[in-house]
Amino acid sequence: MTVQIDHALEEIRRFRPSPEFAAQSVADPALYEAARADRLAFWADQARELVQWEKPFTRTLDWTNPPFAKWFDDGELNVAVNCLDRHVEAGLGDRVAIHWEGEPGDSRDITYAQLTDEVKRAANVLESLGIGSGDRVAIYLPMIPEAVVSMLAVARIGAIHSVVFGGFSSDSLASRIDDAEASLVITADGGFRKGRVFPLKPVVDEALAKTEGGTVRNVLVVRRGENEIEWTEGRDLWWHETVTDASNEHVPSAFPAEHPLFILYTSGTTGKPKGILHTSGGYLVQTSFTHKYVFDLHPETDVFWCTADVGWVTGHSYVVYGPLANGATQVLYEGTPDTPHPGRWWEIVEKYKVSILYTAPTAIRSFMKLGRQIPQQFNLRSLRVLGSVGEPINPEAWIWYREVIGGGSIPVVDTWWQTETGAIMISPLPGVMDLTPGSAQAPIPGVEVDILTDEGEPVDGENGGFLVITEPWPAMLRGIWGDPERFKQTYWEKYGEKYFAGDGARRDEDGDIWLLGRVDDVMNVSGHRLSTTEIESSLVAHPWTAEAAVVGASDETTGQAVVAFVILKASQVSHITDPNDASEELRKHVAVQIGAIARPRQVFIVNELPKTRSGKIMRRLLRDLAEGRQVGDTTTLADTSIMEVISAQVR
Ligand code: WTA
């Protein structure tokens, strides 16, 4: 009996690509063989094939000063030219680059020729504002074509963009502007979300009032929401009065492969976000390589849709740089999945005949909750590859995605990577491998990973351990903006020249890699990284708070959810009649301080926090409480009875 069940499980556990899919697949096993035979020669070949170099490189990798890598460093290129001009020159100017869909239902199709023109115009405006090579430009925009245009215009002139997700607060924006010393902010009056206009320019005004550096000279404003905004003469400029009228002649310069391309802030284990720095050549090589092979891209016929916002790394690598470098046609959607109706995404898939869809498990799980009758109202037969990113995808969600969205026969690729890695690192290549639901399976060709014990020994058998990347890779981060020490400490201190990813992982008996989530104080809520410490600092900044502890509790839809435990100041307790009011106030406070994505699901007002004798908060016990579990071992607590007191207050 047992044998039979095992056998049945074995059968559904792996999915073989269909013979038709395998026959047309762009990837083949030779990629793995070539990379295994000579990793650096493999990447050099990819770099020559996928990227147009103004000056060819002769050196592939310089790793003489770890952890500071240089890839293709004597080569020169222009990243924007690779994403635009070269396709137009190759006769593809009329191909649609972007099918843009606004939330209210307005839409625009933008060809490669039009996108190239618009980027040249924007580049001219940036230069007329005194922005040049190496200058930082903050971008705070909704998901409108101008977001892509802005990023590429910045790249075209060798400046460095720092895109800040439109859901972040003025405080978060201000600290990012100050840290990068940005001289220009590109924003919009507002954008559409959940059927309403959310203001952006007013947040920029607030942020600029808070910045300490005073580095911003101009604010370039796209008109989108038509909401009322204030205007600072001399500083603020309308996009439609500057870019639209600018010349579409712009001669690009070539920049060294290691020229910085962008800074993207991400949460770390401290309260201060890290400005992850990426450079040009290696980043473009690996984003275009992975976009082509992981998604089996056929640029002449495919319509690609990555649902990520450009404010996150997924939007950088798989909305902007990878797809455009590959000359792909893609969908860009401004709004939320359920506006104005819960079938909106599937309506878009049907409308544009999307063939490759790349999204996050949290979205898939919320669609599962709504039920299959919603996607089933639409024609999804154009889909042929499905991708997942951002957090571990549970096998149930993987299977549902394949069955209900993919019609039961198309590949699902689970892709593991990070802001720091710049591009996909662990993922099956569809058409080449059998697929295992729930597992990211294997490093892509040219990437080497391992799973180590705390002491740095490879783990044996199926035991879990810490994921490391053992060899430098082209799209790797080059540092943390302005903080080389933190870069070394965070990623390279634990295992020397092996990159410490901060994720747990294990290998199953087939050698497939399963990601097990973060091993540090970083939470993953709806595929977004949030720092426990950052939210705790925000909570204690509120005048009512004496102490706060935050944990990431598992959540059916969002993967993890922020749950906070707060002790109020004694001086406040008497004024607050209902603890629910305090919880609500503190939840709002975090949303205002950091952004709505960081708003705790719950704030429990308690009298005590569980601490060890040395005063360290035992978050593990709070997580047990937040997840409604039996509280674990309390023997190391200074006061072992404390958990009972807290449990009673939480109920
Ligand atoms: C998690 C997003 C499991 C992981 C591209 C990582 C994943 C963090 C997966 C990076 C996956 C991302 N399976 N976990 N397929 N993809 N993660 O920087 O914990 O926003 O360290 O980059 O997300 O998040 P980031």
Side-chain angles (χ1 to χ4, degrees):
M1 191 58 193
T2 330
V3 174
Q4 262 175 349
I5 291 170
D6 281 345
H7 189 67
L9 279 177
E10 189 61 32
E11 262 173 45
I12 53 157
R13 263 199 41 221
R14 292 178 82 84
F15 292 94
R16 177 138 298 172
S18 72
E20 303 80 57
F21 191 96
Q24 59 81 64
S25 150
V26 293
D28 75 62
L31 287 172
Y32 290 98
E33 286 153 29
R36 253 195 307 271
D38 188 341
R39 201 173 60 86
L40 294 182
F42 167 81
W43 280 121
D45 286 347
Q46 296 305 327
R48 290 189 189 100
E49 192 184 312
L50 296 165
V51 167
Q52 175 179 309
W53 298 89
E54 303 309 325
K55 177 173 172 257
F57 60 90
T58 63
R59 294 192 293 264
T60 302
L61 170 67
D62 177 354
W63 188 236
T64 52
N65 181 29
F68 299 94
K70 292 183 188 163
W71 282 87
F72 317 117
D73 78 313
D74 59 343
E76 290 182 3
L77 75 163
N78 184 294
V79 171
V81 167
N82 269 277
C83 293
L84 300 164
D85 310 46
R86 69 161 161 161
H87 303 313
V88 178
E89 281 154 24
L92 303 175
D94 291 337
R95 180 181 289 174
V96 172
I98 296 175
H99 292 294
W100 176 72
E101 181 83 10
E103 196 186 74
D106 49 341
S107 63
R108 280 162 72 186
D109 284 345
I110 304 166
T111 64
Y112 271 94
Q114 291 166 333
L115 192 64
T116 306
D117 261 20
E118 185 79 356
V119 169
K120 287 179 179 173
R121 288 198 179 91
N124 281 323
V125 170
L126 297 187
E127 285 181 337
S128 75
L129 295 175
I131 307 296
S133 168
D135 291 340
R136 275 80 60 206
V137 176
I139 297 179
Y140 188 66
L141 281 171
M143 284 290 279
I144 55 178
E146 287 79 1
V148 179
V149 172
S150 299
M151 290 164 76
L152 290 171
V154 168
R156 188 177 186 93
I157 63 172
I160 305 170
H161 56 70
S162 161
V163 183
V164 179
F165 174 59
F168 276 119
S169 66
S170 60
D171 282 339
S172 300
L173 177 59
S175 68
R176 284 158 173 78
I177 288 172
D178 271 337
D179 188 74
E181 299 176 285
S183 29
L184 172 70
V185 181
I186 308 181
T187 189
D189 47 1
F192 288 87
R193 231 185 104 78
K194 296 191 201 270
R196 287 186 296 134
V197 171
F198 68 96
L200 287 167
K201 170 68 162 55
V203 183
V204 172
D205 291 338
E206 255 178 65
L208 291 180
K210 288 175 187 163
T211 51
E212 285 159 13
T215 52
V216 172
R217 294 190 303 264
N218 292 103
V219 179
L220 185 56
V221 189
V222 179
R223 189 157 68 195
R224 168 63 186 152
E226 312 217 344
N227 46 316
E228 213 156 296
I229 57 172
E230 283 175 16
W231 203 253
T232 305
E233 283 307 328
R235 185 195 72 181
D236 300 348
L237 303 153
W238 281 113
W239 180 282
H240 63 268
E241 288 174 358
T242 51
V243 176
T244 316
D245 295 338
S247 158
N248 64 353
E249 301 282 321
H250 182 270
V251 181
S253 309
F255 297 95
E258 284 298 340
H259 188 74
L261 179 63
F262 66 84
I263 306 167
L264 183 57
Y265 288 85
T266 188
S267 296
T269 49
T270 71
K272 189 175 181 286
K274 306 176 276 198
I276 302 299
L277 176 68
H278 281 286
T279 60
S280 306
Y283 173 79
L284 197 65
V285 169
Q286 196 178 334
T287 49
S288 54
F289 173 81
T290 47
H291 180 253
K292 175 173 175 181
Y293 292 106
V294 170
F295 300 113
D296 187 48
L297 180 77
H298 296 258
E300 314 75 36
T301 47
D302 273 320
V303 178
F304 178 76
W305 184 18
C306 166
T307 64
D309 191 284
V310 291
W312 310 111
V313 75
T314 308
H316 282 61
S317 302
Y318 301 103
V319 173
V320 182
Y321 294 106
L324 296 175
N326 288 335
T329 295
Q330 66 175 322
V331 168
L332 190 73
Y333 171 54
E334 180 185 31
T336 50
D338 51 357
T339 309
H341 59 81
R344 187 65 191 273
W345 273 20
W346 316 119
E347 182 181 74
I348 293 173
V349 169
E350 178 178 300
K351 175 172 176 187
Y352 295 107
K353 300 194 166 52
V354 171
S355 57
I356 307 169
L357 178 68
Y358 190 32
T359 192
T362 179
I364 300 164
R365 288 193 298 265
S366 41
F367 291 127
M368 280 173 80
K369 251 197 195 159
L370 292 172
R372 58 178 68 205
Q373 71 284 356
I374 291 168
Q376 278 170 352
Q377 290 160 22
F378 299 90
N379 179 351
L380 307 180
R381 280 192 293 276
S382 53
L383 288 169
R384 52 175 217 90
V385 178
L386 300 174
S388 171
V389 61
E391 52 178 313
I393 178 164
N394 44 316
E396 298 73 19
W398 193 105
I399 303 250
W400 189 91
Y401 194 26
R402 177 178 160 104
E403 295 292 321
V404 178
I405 305 304
S409 62
I410 68 175
V412 175
V413 285
D414 175 18
T415 63
W416 178 89
W417 58 294
Q418 307 176 302
T419 305
E420 292 86 342
T421 70
I424 293 168
M425 300 294 279
I426 306 180
S427 167
L429 297 187
V432 173
M433 291 154 75
D434 292 356
L435 301 173
T436 309
S439 163
Q441 296 189 252
I444 60 158
V447 165
E448 302 285 335
V449 306
D450 208 347
I451 300 170
L452 303 182
T453 62
D454 207 21
E455 293 73 39
E457 298 300 320
V459 298
D460 8 289
E462 289 184 44
N463 293 330
F466 300 105
L467 179 70
V468 295
I469 305 168
T470 57
E471 297 290 341
W473 64 101
M476 68 195 285
L477 76 167
R478 300 303 199 263
I480 294 177
W481 184 256
D483 203 346
E485 270 319 301
R486 190 173 179 193
F487 171 55
K488 288 186 205 161
Q489 268 166 20
T490 311
Y491 307 106
W492 306 96
E493 202 131 87
K494 191 166 170 71
Y495 295 122
E497 285 177 29
K498 294 173 184 163
Y499 170 85
F500 173 66
D503 276 47
R506 68 176 181 88
R507 267 199 195 86
D508 68 15
E509 75 270 24
D510 300 322
D512 279 338
I513 295 172
W514 294 72
L515 278 307
L516 304 173
R518 301 288 309 186
V519 294
D520 52 15
D521 286 336
V522 173
M523 295 170 287
N524 190 326
V525 178
S526 296
H528 300 145
R529 270 163 77 168
L530 296 173
S531 152
T532 327
T533 329
E534 196 180 353
I535 299 176
E536 284 172 359
S537 323
S538 165
L539 286 166
V540 293
H542 192 282
W544 294 355
T545 308
E547 262 190 276
V550 165
V551 298
S554 59
D555 183 279
E556 220 180 88
T557 308
T558 58
Q560 283 188 312
V562 179
V563 177
F565 296 82
V566 170
I567 304 179
L568 298 176
K569 281 185 189 149
S571 57
Q572 297 297 333
V573 173
S574 53
H575 306 304
I576 301 164
T577 42
D578 184 353
N580 286 333
D581 294 346
S583 303
E584 210 29 54
E585 162 70 18
L586 291 169
R587 289 180 64 233
K588 251 194 252 150
H589 166 78
V590 174
V592 169
Q593 268 221 322
I594 303 177
I597 44 164
R599 185 202 317 266
R601 184 184 72 186
Q602 289 153 304
V603 173
F604 292 114
I605 307 296
V606 293
N607 291 341
E608 304 279 355
L609 288 171
K611 291 188 185 154
T612 59
R613 276 170 212 96
S614 60
K616 202 169 157 301
I617 296 176
M618 292 192 69
R619 290 196 181 73
R620 171 173 64 77
L621 300 176
L622 293 174
R623 201 171 301 124
D624 288 343
L625 270 189
E627 294 177 352
R629 253 198 319 267
Q630 178 80 29
V631 171
D633 181 11
T634 56
T635 47
T636 51
L637 284 179
D639 174 356
T640 49
S641 66
I642 216 86
M643 284 314 289
E644 281 157 40
V645 179
I646 302 173
S647 308
Q649 289 183 312
V650 161
R651 252 180 233 118

